[in-house]
Amino acid sequence: HSPKVKIYILIHDTESFKDVGEDGSKGEWPAIQEFLANNKDWSLKEHLTISNGLTVLERRLQYEIKHTIVIPTYNHFHDALKPCIDAVLAYTDLSDKEIIIVANGCTDETIPYIKSLKAPIKLIEFVEPMGYIKSINAGIKEARGEFVTTLDNDSILQPQDKDQWINTLYAPFIENDMGATSPFSQTYDDLGHVLHSGCTMYRKSFLLQMGMFDEIFNPGYMSDEDLAIRIRKAGYKLAEVPKNVIKEYNNGVFHIN
């Protein structure tokens, strides 16, 4: 009945029947996630866990950007950036998304290529190398989406249905205390559970609240681990999605299955 609904859908008992329905069928959360994936004009407004649970879905009355994909890059056009962009364009529905590419002192074919693209791609160009962290923070500041996905230029999506990767990252955010999701998950003895930023989704408002990536780590190392630790300390969750994903690393390039 969603076409007849103007603004809100209220779904009761979303804690009681979260994973399995009252009759043993599919639970309400998987059904909600499937609905949101197939109806781009609807988004999750609020999920309450008190009592039996209540989930509120909201129709976006005007077309807007929901997801921003931020890709920082420094040269490596042929062996990283171009296959990365080609895969994103092939396997992403861009109707409610934008792509921000932050060219960090590039001297190869990167700039002309990005300018030639007709997809909703925004270029942020730094003439001199600024470092990975300053570049990715610049992209986050310009993002219009409610959710920001950081994607390294050497992370290559593998063949899949349109938006499968975005929907996989987005699904756990039905929980209000979800801080970040990624297939790049690691647990260290000294740091605990962290997510690496190579293909990771965050709420933009949460990133701004946390101060984004700490530029004390510029040009790049350990900033994502630091952000993950700060997210945990703030009381929010980190999720590896999907778990036990196959990540192939060939000739310096990640291939995400």
Side-chain angles (χ1 to χ4, degrees), residues 71-248:
I71 306 174
T73 189
Y74 174 61
N75 293 326
H76 291 283
F77 173 72
H78 288 288
D79 61 341
L81 179 66
K82 189 175 188 304
C84 172
I85 294 295
D86 288 348
V88 170
L89 295 179
Y91 307 123
T92 309
D93 175 3
L94 295 174
S95 62
D96 61 345
K97 302 174 188 67
E98 65 176 352
I99 301 171
I100 297 178
I101 301 175
V102 186
N104 176 32
C106 295
T107 57
D108 56 5
E109 300 170 53
T110 295
I111 303 300
Y113 172 73
I114 297 172
K115 290 182 177 179
S116 72
L117 296 175
K118 297 181 180 179
I121 292 179
K122 178 176 181 178
L123 169 65
I124 299 176
E125 181 180 0
F126 293 109
V127 177
E128 298 295 331
M130 299 289 289
Y132 175 87
I133 300 173
K134 289 184 177 180
S135 297
I136 206 165
N137 280 346
I140 292 168
K141 290 175 184 176
E142 292 295 319
R144 292 184 293 157
E146 180 184 357
F147 296 89
V148 173
T149 298
T150 58
L151 187 67
D152 286 356
N153 66 352
D154 60 354
S155 294
I156 314 298
L157 301 173
Q158 295 300 281
Q160 58 188 272
D161 294 335
K162 288 264 188 179
D163 269 1
Q164 178 181 331
W165 72 289
I166 285 287
N167 291 336
T168 299
L169 290 169
Y170 175 62
F173 283 96
I174 195 168
E175 301 182 42
N176 293 335
D177 59 350
M178 184 56 59
T181 62
S182 176
F184 296 132
S185 174
Q186 188 91 26
T187 299
Y188 298 97
D189 291 337
D190 52 347
L191 300 178
H193 181 215
V194 301
L195 300 178
H196 298 290
S197 60
C199 181
T200 304
M201 184 177 288
Y202 309 88
R203 295 183 196 272
K204 183 186 176 183
S205 60
F206 186 77
L207 277 175
L208 296 178
Q209 174 189 335
M210 298 295 294
M212 301 181 291
F213 291 85
D214 193 334
E215 295 184 3
I216 195 173
F217 293 100
N218 205 55
Y221 298 106
M222 299 299 294
S223 61
D224 43 5
E225 290 93 337
D226 169 73
L227 179 57
I229 292 170
R230 286 189 282 132
I231 289 173
R232 289 201 332 258
K233 286 184 176 180
Y236 292 88
K237 296 178 181 177
L238 306 174
E240 177 186 0
V241 291
K243 290 187 176 181
N244 303 317
V245 66
I246 298 174
K247 298 180 289 289
E248 297 179 357

Side-chain angles (χ1 to χ4, degrees), residues 9-17 28 32 52-56:
I9 296 176
L10 277 65
I11 307 170
H12 296 274
D13 299 329
T14 49
E15 283 297 302
S16 300
F17 305 114
E28 291 189 349
I32 291 170
N52 294 324
L54 175 69
T55 297
V56 182

